[in-house]
Amino acid sequence: MDISRLIDPLNEPQRQAVCTDSQHTLVLAGAGSGKTRVLTHRIAYLVETGQASSFGVLAVTFTNKAAKEMRSRIESLMMQPPKGMWVGTFHSLAHRLLKTHYVEAKLPEQFQVLDSDDQLRLVKRIVKDLNLDDTKWQPKSAQWFINGQKDEGKRFKHIPPSSDFHEQGMLKIYEQYELICQQTGVVDFAELLLRAHELWLNNPEVLKHYQERFRHVLVDEYQDINSIQYAWLRVLCGENANLMVVGDDDQSIYGWRGAKVENILRFSEDFPKVETVKLEQNYRSSGHILKAANAVIDNNSGRLGKELWTDDEDGETIRLYAAYNEHDEARFIADDIDGQSDEFNEMAILYRSNAQSRVIEEHLIRMSIPYRIFGGHRFYDRLEIKNAMCYLRMMLNRHDDTAMERIINLPVRGIGNKSIDTMRIFARDQGISFWQAASQIVEHKILPNRACSAIEGFLTLINDIDSQSDEMNLAEITDFIIKQSNLIAHHQKEKGEKGRTRVENLKELVSAAASFINESDNSDLSEFVSQASLDAGDNQADTHEQAVSLMTLHSAKGLEFDRVYLAGLEEQLFPHKMSMDDPDGLQEERRLCYVGITRARKHLCISYAESRRLYGNEQFNASSRFIREIPNEHLQEIRLNSQVSRPVMFTETPKEIMSDSGFQLGQDVNHPVFGRGVILSCEGIGTNARVEVQFIESTKWLMLQFAKLEAV
């Protein structure tokens, strides 16, 4: 069999990963090193050489966009659709599993997925029902608490009682939340993974079937998996599966949402006889950019270790702009963009905090430069679309309380908040769904005639739409529901562009339903609604006209641009003040900087401000340590109408200073007076060198020659 077309396009390390005979393989893939190519060629290689069938391969990634691209590439390499192969996100694969085994998972056949907004709506209702003060037990915090517990694999019954009054309230909310979700047949995103993991554990025959089926498991972005995803994989792989994971410990930046970099760091300990392959050749960035990224990330400890390199030339040095304030910084960036010949789509402005975008937007508007906020409201997140989807959900499940509560008086039909509160209390007291409560209230005339008539009108509307749409396909049902619910007429009442856009979006939903039929050969309403919920949780921006992209550094992961502006590199802002006294947090901030630098292909400009008004306060912060960690030869400072070499303040890098002293940034030290601390930063040369140390009760600048610091 000729597999040269799969092997020849690869470099030597890529070929090693694709053709490996090892049971377990860790592919350390640096930024821009071709990790997706390795994954897709590996899958095609396994099938083409007869080592696996399409039916026996499961490939997991983190976004729907990445999964779609992976499937497309596999199909192109194999020159046929990969029938039977499971390729998708953790959540979509877990959803598919639960749909197939809903009985064993103790779920109704037509269970629905709550997106983040609907989950928050349910939590708010629970906080109110429990008579908790929502200023002390904030629904958003309770939502994060619930999802965090599920990400760790913990249900309410697994959490020991707490003596903390606030946590007691959180546990009550979690307990009631679990009960309502089970009663109404809905699951949230975190529940998908937790329930799928429990399905493995509680049903040995089901687990055995999938362990025997999926002998080859491949995982993308392994550095980003959380505890429950890790547990799900471990159980599925068992002792016999061949597991290949691809990731980069230097790009682990989602610790704040449960990702554990330890999973990739200890992969060789968790699985026997692991082969490690390093992909270090970068096909994206120029030499100066890569060398700067390597220099910054080299200051982190505990790395698996790799060094990015390129066959391309060094290219343009990284430009550094020292702004007077945030307006000067934004003006410089806008002027610089305006003077470039690159297409706007090839430019991006990255920043640590969303709050930084406001001033940048103002200056882009003044210069008439089109831009978009990457990760803004996406199609299925838009208010009018969410409303329409709730009508669709009611067709599938009358007991979907969150959907019904959202639309029972939308468009307005005379059902006020007092009536809704009465239904909510009645449902809670009787232990029944919102729909059942509404029906009984109408039947027994518990509310005034006018309210009962309005509620009855809503119930009749839903039943009539359902019965009249029996013979329609998915697109026809969607169009029929939008029209019969009067959502278009409702939004046409909104004046100006907003109302017009909402109506256009509702019409586009019909097109989305039609496209779903064509792309998936599936006209099932339940599948369409579930896919919409999954898409709403995906962090991908819409594609529009030519525009400069503005985004946080976290949103930039996985993207690349010819020209990148990295704004606001100042101590307290980046690295963020919440991370500066935590060595692990500081290392994640440095990884975030590494990600930001490596988004640039050809041109990178870094800026910082001597003063910045942010969150309503004037701040005077030093330039970021990450700038000081970049060697001199890769930076060129930009002044108005002139260019100068790197300023004197950067003559020595912290790494050089610390090397001479015998200490390292992030190192634990002990002081005879202040006790134990961690080294945050340093400045100065020789006998004048001093270090900033975070102690338990305070932060101190100490002269190294007098400090009497001892390494811990």
Side-chain angles (χ1 to χ4, degrees), residues 584-599:
D584 291 337
L586 186 57
Q587 294 211 97
E588 182 158 320
E589 290 288 292
R590 187 172 282 109
R591 293 195 291 268
L592 191 58
C593 183
Y594 174 83
V595 167
I597 292 172
T598 54
R599 297 313 92 194

Side-chain angles (χ1 to χ4, degrees), residues 617-682:
N617 298 314
E618 192 79 16
Q619 301 179 2
F620 299 88
N621 297 319
S623 59
S624 172
R625 69 192 67 197
F626 302 147
I627 298 176
R628 301 196 295 272
E629 290 170 358
I630 299 175
N632 293 10
E633 61 266 25
H634 305 307
L635 279 177
Q636 185 173 50
E637 188 171 19
I638 305 299
R639 297 287 189 190
L640 295 180
N641 303 318
S642 67
Q643 296 185 4
V644 297
S645 60
R646 189 173 181 153
V648 176
M649 62 177 290
F650 294 131
T651 301
E652 294 288 331
T653 69
K655 185 179 177 183
E656 291 165 346
I657 297 170
M658 300 311 290
S659 176
D660 292 341
S661 71
F663 294 105
Q664 297 179 358
L665 293 178
Q667 184 173 8
D668 288 331
V669 293
N670 194 66
H671 187 273
V673 176
F674 304 119
R676 185 161 177 166
V678 60
I679 298 176
L680 299 180
S681 61
C682 59

Side-chain angles (χ1 to χ4, degrees), residues 389-484:
M389 295 305 299
C390 283
Y391 274 97
L392 292 173
R393 284 165 53 182
M394 290 299 295
M395 298 300 103
L396 296 168
N397 180 10
R398 298 292 196 276
H399 308 300
D400 188 337
D401 287 0
T402 53
M404 182 170 170
E405 189 168 350
R406 184 183 184 104
I407 62 172
I408 190 170
N409 197 42
L410 196 141
V412 175
R413 52 177 58 90
I415 304 174
N417 290 334
K418 188 174 181 180
S419 296
I420 293 174
D421 286 341
T422 300
M423 283 185 279
R424 186 185 296 116
I425 294 169
F426 189 88
R428 182 194 64 194
D429 292 345
Q430 299 298 317
I432 58 179
S433 70
F434 212 71
W435 177 274
Q436 291 169 320
S439 301
Q440 291 189 27
I441 284 172
V442 170
E443 181 182 352
H444 300 293
K445 300 189 182 301
I446 295 175
L447 287 171
N449 289 338
R450 185 174 178 180
C452 284
S453 177
I455 295 170
E456 185 176 20
F458 172 79
L459 301 177
T460 301
L461 172 67
I462 298 299
N463 287 328
D464 286 349
I465 292 175
D466 195 9
S467 62
Q468 293 174 42
S469 60
D470 275 347
E471 303 301 320
M472 299 178 183
N473 66 31
L474 178 58
E476 291 168 340
I477 292 173
T478 306
D479 183 52
F480 183 72
I481 286 175
I482 289 172
K483 290 176 179 175
Q484 292 299 309

Side-chain angles (χ1 to χ4, degrees), residues 20-173:
T20 181
D21 292 326
S22 300
Q23 181 181 2
H24 303 304
T25 310
L26 168 62
V27 181
L28 276 181
S33 62
K35 67 181 180 63
T36 304
R37 167 177 281 195
V38 166
L39 276 172
T40 53
H41 280 248
R42 171 66 174 171
I43 292 170
Y45 173 82
L46 289 171
V47 175
E48 291 290 320
T49 57
Q51 297 180 56
S53 67
S54 294
F55 188 77
V57 174
L58 180 142
V60 192
T61 187
F62 270 81
T63 68
N64 291 320
K65 180 181 178 182
K68 186 175 181 180
E69 180 185 356
M70 187 183 295
R71 179 174 285 276
S72 175
R73 287 204 199 182
I74 293 169
E75 184 172 337
S76 177
L77 288 170
M78 294 174 56
M79 295 182 289
Q80 62 179 336
K83 295 181 179 178
M85 188 181 299
W86 280 29
V87 179
T89 65
F90 275 102
H91 292 101
S92 66
L93 294 181
H95 178 261
R96 181 174 181 176
L97 185 69
L98 295 176
K99 276 289 188 180
T100 304
H101 300 283
Y102 66 90
V103 175
E104 294 92 337
K106 296 181 174 58
L107 287 169
E109 183 175 5
Q110 298 296 342
F111 74 87
Q112 294 302 314
V113 182
L114 287 177
D115 65 19
S116 181
D117 284 351
D118 283 333
Q119 182 189 29
L120 181 59
R121 184 186 296 270
L122 176 56
V123 172
K124 286 180 179 178
R125 173 184 145 198
I126 291 170
V127 170
K128 186 173 183 179
D129 287 346
L130 292 175
N131 294 317
L132 294 174
D133 184 347
D134 61 7
T135 62
K136 295 180 180 178
W137 289 275
Q138 296 180 357
K140 192 69 177 177
S141 297
Q143 181 185 29
W144 275 82
F145 175 82
I146 291 169
N147 291 338
Q149 297 302 320
K150 290 188 178 186
D151 285 345
E152 292 297 321
K154 297 178 182 178
R155 295 208 174 276
F156 165 76
K157 64 183 180 182
H158 298 142
I159 305 172
S162 174
S163 59
D164 182 87
F165 183 63
H166 183 265
E167 188 169 340
Q168 289 174 3
M170 288 295 192
L171 291 174
K172 289 179 183 178
I173 295 169

Side-chain angles (χ1 to χ4, degrees), residues 105-108 177-186 191 195:
K106 296 181 174 58
L107 287 169
Y177 178 85
E178 277 195 330
L179 179 63
I180 292 176
C181 286
Q182 189 64 36
Q183 287 177 342
T184 58
V186 295
E191 178 74 15
R195 187 75 66 123

